[in-house]
Amino acid sequence: MTARLRAAIARRFGVDTRALAALRVSLAALVLVDLCLRARFLGAFYTDAGVLPRSLLFEQYGTISRLSIHAISGAAWVQVVLFLVTALAALAMLAGYRTTLATIVTGVLLASLHYRNPLVLNSGDTLLRMLFLWGVFVPLGERWSVDALRDPDDGPRRVASVATAGLLVQVVVVYSTNALLKLRGEHWIAGDAIRYVLELDMFTVLLGDVLADFPMLLAVFDRFWLVLLVVSVLLLVLTGWLRAAFAGLFVAMHAGMLVSMQLGLFPLVSMTALLPFLPPAFWDLLPGWQRVPGLRALPISRYTSIVKRELPLVTLPAIPSVALRWKRRVVPVVVAVVLASMLVWNAASVGVVDATAADPVTESPEPRWSMFAPIPASTDFWVVAPGKLVSEGSVDAFHGGAVTWREPSDVAGSYPSARWRKYVANLRGADPAVADGFADYLCTRWNGGQDDELASVRVFVVEQQVRLDGPGPTDRVELAAKNCSVQ
């Protein structure tokens, strides 16, 4: 391999260590935010008193669910402790303290949390796990970290390895796989897919309600997004400011999703995944790395020297030279295997190769990076859970208040969170025993806090066909029925 070819590969598959530092901080921050959001429904989603007790989890998801550390107990206090431990690990990762260890611990606990209840997961969760996997093999703590203070040398400004290539390729694979799936759908080709998406009231929020009134503008966004996905491989081809500008287009589209659809952390995870594509020239503009006319540079080196004098740092034991040699030999092989497996795994999603096993998290045959592809969902839906009280009265056991079958004024807001909507969506095609778990939870929750107890409850989703010329007909689909006196 000539020097020129090696340099070209390094420019395209290398990552600035400041970009890796930004990735580290963003991943840790996302985990902390995710924990806070999930903690609101900790009892509902992660305990035996919730919608998926461990007996049902093990029955439905088999061996993979038993690997979850969160499945060692169904008690709420155990989950609280695990949430706190995950938060501490994420804080250590955020600060860059023993970064590799903190990344491994945070990633393992995050995956464990995901496996505890696969029914509330989305593509953003899958991408987040993949980013943590690659993060173990790249130097996330090389810059802007406590670890960096131990080494008087500034360290490399740019890293090029199989691991950095895997990190970048992973993101492009997500986009290109989604592009292949979207090209199979007539709505994306016709340019009206985003219009259909924004007709799904269970997703649409904020700016989405405004954009829904401008079909011509949505058609432009539709075509533009599809073209971006199709040519997403340019993220690996372009360099310098052209790469930064191209990545910025993806960031802008994800920002649009964030303010128009209720998708949880998915848009933020996607934007975080684009950080490694920002070139050195971008990071050189930040204060403290290069003095730019008109910008006041932050004297980072002066503050670093102060921290080195004032902060007592724990010195890690030296790694034996034999172990270092084995690490240099084994890690690239492991990373190459992971990269190859990832490519095959995603090729199976679009039928390029035969899928030999179900998805390891959801055990669902659905494509892993579908994201409204090949076509957007054709039905909107909301939950109605009519319950009969012991006093002979009735109540909606999910929302509280009177039972009504009419479409809520805010369908997205009728779900306590995006994960609740995802949970209900997964119930529609799940084993009836899973929906029964929802009915059991409603009985337990209501009777544990109300004087007038539930005698029975039924769980429905009201489905409404999505049309561009106005609301379609509705249909009531019963998911579960439960006698609350029989627990």
Side-chain angles (χ1 to χ4, degrees):
M1 184 182 297
T2 65
R4 181 176 296 181
L5 179 58
R6 285 198 299 269
I9 293 174
R11 282 198 305 272
R12 286 159 178 81
F13 293 100
V15 179
D16 192 288
T17 51
R18 293 163 293 181
L20 293 177
L23 177 66
R24 183 196 79 240
V25 171
S26 299
L27 289 177
L30 283 172
V31 170
L32 291 170
V33 172
D34 191 32
L35 289 173
C36 291
L37 295 175
R38 290 176 187 266
R40 298 175 298 163
F41 310 105
L42 182 147
F45 289 147
Y46 306 109
T47 70
D48 284 349
V51 297
L52 191 65
R54 289 175 300 151
S55 58
L56 185 58
L57 172 71
F58 298 153
E59 175 188 321
Q60 295 293 318
Y61 294 95
T63 304
I64 190 67
S65 63
R66 296 180 183 274
L67 298 177
S68 171
I69 301 170
H70 290 72
I72 61 175
S73 172
W77 72 267
V78 173
Q79 303 305 314
V80 170
V81 170
L82 288 171
F83 269 54
L84 290 175
V85 172
T86 307
L88 288 174
L91 286 171
M93 182 180 172
L94 184 73
Y97 178 71
R98 298 195 176 185
T99 306
T100 300
L101 178 61
T103 303
I104 292 172
V105 173
T106 306
V108 168
L109 289 173
L110 181 69
S112 170
L113 180 62
H114 290 179
Y115 294 147
R116 175 58 184 87
N117 192 339
L119 293 168
V120 299
L121 302 182
N122 57 36
S123 296
D125 296 306
T126 304
L127 179 57
L128 188 58
R129 290 196 308 275
M130 297 302 292
L131 292 175
F132 266 91
L133 176 62
W134 293 114
V136 171
F137 300 107
V138 296
L140 295 181
E142 192 69 36
R143 298 278 176 173
W144 305 344
S145 67
V146 174
D147 290 344
L149 301 180
R150 295 190 177 94
D151 188 355
D153 185 11
D154 286 339
R157 296 287 293 270
R158 189 170 177 83
V159 178
S161 65
V162 178
T164 59
L167 178 62
L168 299 176
V169 170
Q170 173 69 69
V171 178
V172 173
V173 164
V174 171
Y175 290 130
S176 57
T177 301
N178 187 238
L180 290 174
L181 293 171
K182 279 182 167 59
L183 288 172
R184 298 176 183 177
E186 58 182 17
H187 291 305
W188 289 99
I189 300 297
D192 57 12
I194 294 181
R195 289 185 64 193
Y196 275 97
V197 170
L198 294 183
E199 288 296 324
L200 294 166
D201 294 333
M202 61 183 176
F203 286 106
T204 308
V205 296
L206 303 175
L207 188 60
D209 294 320
V210 178
L211 290 175
D213 296 328
F214 297 90
M216 295 299 294
L217 181 61
L218 293 180
V220 173
F221 285 152
D222 187 296
R223 298 291 178 81
F224 180 68
W225 182 232
L226 183 59
V227 170
L228 270 184
L229 293 173
V230 169
V231 300
S232 58
V233 70
L234 290 178
L235 284 168
L236 297 176
V237 176
L238 300 175
T239 60
W241 283 111
L242 284 177
R243 172 182 275 191
F246 192 56
L249 295 177
F250 286 90
V251 170
M253 293 301 291
H254 288 302
M257 296 177 194
L258 185 65
V259 298
S260 60
M261 290 182 280
Q262 187 192 62
L263 299 172
L265 294 180
F266 170 71
L268 293 176
V269 175
S270 299
M271 287 188 274
T272 295
L274 290 161
L275 287 172
F277 290 93
L278 298 179
F282 173 86
W283 302 105
D284 287 342
L285 292 178
L286 296 182
W289 294 107
Q290 177 175 312
R291 293 185 180 274
V292 179
L295 292 179
R296 181 179 179 182
L298 178 68
I300 289 179
S301 59
R302 179 160 59 88
Y303 290 117
T304 299
S305 63
I306 293 174
V307 172
K308 285 181 179 180
R309 292 196 305 268
E310 302 296 334
L311 180 64
L313 296 176
V314 178
T315 303
L316 292 173
I319 301 176
S321 58
V322 175
L324 286 174
R325 286 198 300 271
W326 274 102
K327 177 182 177 182
R328 296 190 188 101
R329 294 175 182 175
V330 173
V331 170
V333 175
V334 172
V335 174
V337 171
V338 171
L339 177 58
S341 300
M342 179 267 291
L343 293 173
V344 173
W345 184 66
N346 285 279
S349 299
V350 294
V352 177
V353 300
D354 292 334
T356 58
D359 187 294
V361 176
T362 63
E363 297 190 1
S364 166
E366 293 299 316
R368 298 160 181 89
W369 309 119
S370 55
M371 294 173 286
F372 302 114
I375 59 174
S378 60
T379 56
D380 218 352
F381 56 84
W382 57 91
V383 178
V384 180
K388 182 180 293 186
L389 299 170
V390 172
S391 65
E392 298 300 324
S394 63
V395 69
D396 188 318
F398 185 54
H399 300 102
V403 176
T404 177
W405 300 95
R406 295 191 301 272
E407 179 181 0
S409 57
D410 180 8
V411 177
S414 70
Y415 294 97
S417 70
R419 295 204 182 277
W420 270 107
R421 188 201 64 245
K422 187 65 177 180
Y423 168 73
V424 173
N426 283 327
L427 286 187
R428 297 166 66 219
D431 188 296
V434 178
D436 288 341
F438 187 22
D440 286 336
Y441 165 72
L442 294 177
C443 288
T444 302
R445 184 183 67 170
W446 184 274
N447 291 345
Q450 303 290 334
D451 293 331
D452 193 358
E453 295 188 344
L454 278 176
S456 63
V457 66
R458 301 169 71 189
V459 179
F460 292 84
V461 290
V462 181
E463 299 181 346
Q464 184 174 58
Q465 293 182 16
V466 174
R467 293 178 177 176
L468 298 181
D469 57 354
T474 61
D475 185 30
R476 302 177 186 177
V477 178
E478 184 172 12
L479 298 180
K482 176 69 178 179
N483 183 345
C484 295
S485 62
V486 180
Q487 294 289 337

